[in-house]
Amino acid sequence: MDILSFSFIIPVFDRPEEVRELLESFVNLEGNFNYEIVIIEDGSKDTSEAVINNFKAQLNISYYYKKNSGPGDSRNYGMKKAKGNYFIILDSDVILPANYLTEVDAFLSKTYYDCFGGPDAAHQSFSNLQKAINFSMTSFITTGGIRGGKQQVEDFQPRSFNMGLSKKAFIDSGGFGKIHPGEDPDLSLRLRKLGYKTILIRTAYVYHKRRISWSKFYKQVKRFGLVRPILNLWHPKSKSLMYWFPTLFSLGLIIAVLMSTLGIMLPLYLYVFYFVIAFILAIISSKSITVAIFALLAILVQFFGYGYGFLKSIINITLLRKKPEETFPDLFF
């Protein structure tokens, strides 16, 4: 293995304030590493160029402006321009802890993988809504740890808000596809077919800000649900009963409520028990009753949004055998 030379690849769309916060966290990174930052402006009207110029004296930054073509294509564009031999892909709405690159370099130098993913966490400065959504998206009681809940997991499917990819793996795979969301698990699954292994580096976490409202969160998780059956169609070996959980949970809750009107209370009591456990875990992790209450709402939004999207996609893609690109054109660039 050659000495690791890192290139951070960051697509951005109309988010100069996010870029400022992210670059401030780069300034505070620990360690003496050879890295560059490649920022790709994906057709923004409110560009980040002025913000970036303020950091060029402190950081090695390359800035490119291109027509809007989606985050996957923008990442590919940035990796083609990058000078490093290992790419670290970040979303613009993350903040790096000071030890981030130290953790990545130590792990890869000891146990090399051509692709890794890291988990996300909530920073203490985040809003109550952001902390609640983070709990819903990362807790083992909701996602089962698929976003980074275990210490080390081979064949982990990295998410592109915090993902590493070697230059060799990028060249061999061709990078990200045209679907969004879902371009990151699609790439992970294609890498696996090419013989590359992926890994979760549990200690290489980022603070994921998720500047989002309830309505945007619902739209986001619904799109996640729509995408999964398409990925299962492209990669049949990736199918899992786990992806049915939000749909079954949501349908079960509706049935439980209806049964309670007939005096059959046990199913509803089971759901109440689940939400009590979730509430307690949210209080323990956030130390806030408000965040815990919001977390229960976030779980409902996540399960119903994802579950509805997943079921809609299953009916159209799997049962009716419609073409994904024609049925859900908004998912493709």
Side-chain angles (χ1 to χ4, degrees):
M1 181 187 68
D2 296 332
I3 295 176
L4 291 173
S5 174
F6 296 106
S7 294
F8 286 88
I9 311 298
I10 307 165
V12 60
F13 180 75
D14 284 339
R15 290 289 189 270
E17 183 60 24
E18 287 181 355
V19 171
R20 182 187 65 77
E21 291 178 332
L22 176 53
L23 292 180
E24 286 176 348
S25 70
F26 270 105
V27 172
N28 295 321
L29 281 184
E30 298 171 350
N32 183 23
F33 296 102
N34 177 24
Y35 72 88
E36 64 170 340
I37 302 168
V38 181
I39 297 178
I40 309 94
E41 195 87 62
D42 188 26
S44 302
K45 293 182 179 179
D46 188 9
T47 73
S48 304
E49 187 171 13
V51 170
I52 292 166
N53 287 337
N54 290 332
F55 286 88
K56 283 193 171 181
Q58 299 168 279
L59 300 169
N60 179 17
I61 307 176
S62 299
Y63 172 78
Y64 300 96
Y65 184 95
K66 53 179 278 299
K67 292 183 179 180
N68 180 257
S69 60
D73 185 65
S74 295
R75 296 182 192 112
N76 292 343
Y77 183 96
M79 286 186 280
K80 290 176 182 177
K81 298 288 187 180
K83 300 178 178 67
N85 59 22
Y86 207 102
F87 309 133
I88 299 179
I89 300 154
L90 304 174
D91 279 356
S92 63
D93 63 345
V94 304
I95 298 172
L96 298 179
N99 67 337
Y100 177 84
L101 197 48
T102 301
E103 295 292 339
V104 171
D105 184 76
F107 186 97
L108 294 178
S109 297
K110 182 178 179 180
T111 313
Y112 183 80
Y113 281 77
D114 283 283
C115 182
F116 78 85
D120 51 345
H123 193 269
Q124 61 182 5
S125 66
F126 287 5
S127 71
N128 289 335
L129 175 57
Q130 289 166 337
K131 292 177 181 177
I133 290 177
N134 180 80
F135 175 84
S136 178
M137 294 289 283
T138 61
S139 173
F140 75 90
I141 202 171
T142 56
T143 65
I146 63 173
R147 294 174 64 89
K150 299 179 182 178
Q151 193 62 28
Q152 277 187 28
V153 184
E154 279 200 346
D155 294 331
F156 177 72
Q157 294 181 14
R159 299 298 189 265
S160 52
F161 63 81
N162 181 13
M163 179 180 188
L165 185 67
S166 71
K167 183 175 182 178
K168 184 178 185 300
F170 167 65
I171 293 172
D172 288 351
S173 66
F176 294 94
K178 296 294 185 181
I179 194 170
H180 178 72
E183 70 275 18
D184 31 17
D186 171 58
L187 174 56
S188 299
L189 292 166
R190 287 190 286 110
L191 287 170
R192 189 179 304 174
K193 291 178 182 178
L194 291 170
Y196 289 98
K197 292 183 178 180
T198 60
I199 191 74
L200 167 69
I201 305 179
R202 184 66 183 89
T203 55
Y205 65 90
V206 298
Y207 298 116
H208 199 179
K209 206 169 184 72
R210 290 196 188 91
R211 301 190 173 190
I212 201 167
S213 64
W214 287 115
S215 61
K216 289 180 179 179
F217 181 49
Y218 175 81
K219 182 179 179 180
Q220 181 189 60
V221 293
K222 177 185 172 184
R223 287 168 64 88
F224 289 159
L226 290 172
V227 160
R228 179 48 63 177
I230 299 173
L231 296 177
N232 291 344
L233 176 68
W234 292 350
H235 310 282
K237 291 184 179 180
S238 69
K239 292 180 180 179
S240 171
L241 289 175
M242 173 183 64
Y243 300 125
W244 278 92
F245 178 73
T247 302
L248 298 176
F249 180 96
S250 302
L251 292 175
L253 180 55
I254 293 172
I255 293 170
V257 172
L258 292 175
M259 291 177 69
S260 70
T261 64
L262 301 175
I264 304 172
M265 302 301 297
L266 179 59
L268 187 59
Y269 289 156
L270 293 175
Y271 275 93
V272 171
F273 177 74
Y274 171 86
F275 282 110
V276 168
I277 297 298
F279 184 75
I280 293 171
L281 291 175
I283 287 182
I284 292 173
S285 65
S286 68
K287 298 178 176 59
S288 167
I289 293 178
T290 301
V291 171
I293 293 172
F294 281 4
L296 299 185
L297 295 174
I299 290 171
L300 285 171
V301 171
Q302 179 181 342
F303 282 173
F304 274 87
Y306 186 103
Y308 171 69
F310 183 84
L311 185 60
K312 181 177 180 180
S313 189
I314 281 287
I315 292 172
N316 283 276
I317 303 304
T318 305
L319 299 181
L320 301 180
R321 298 186 181 278
K322 294 182 179 180
K323 293 182 178 180
E325 295 84 354
E326 295 176 0
T327 309
F328 304 114
D330 291 345
L331 299 178
F332 297 88
F333 279 90

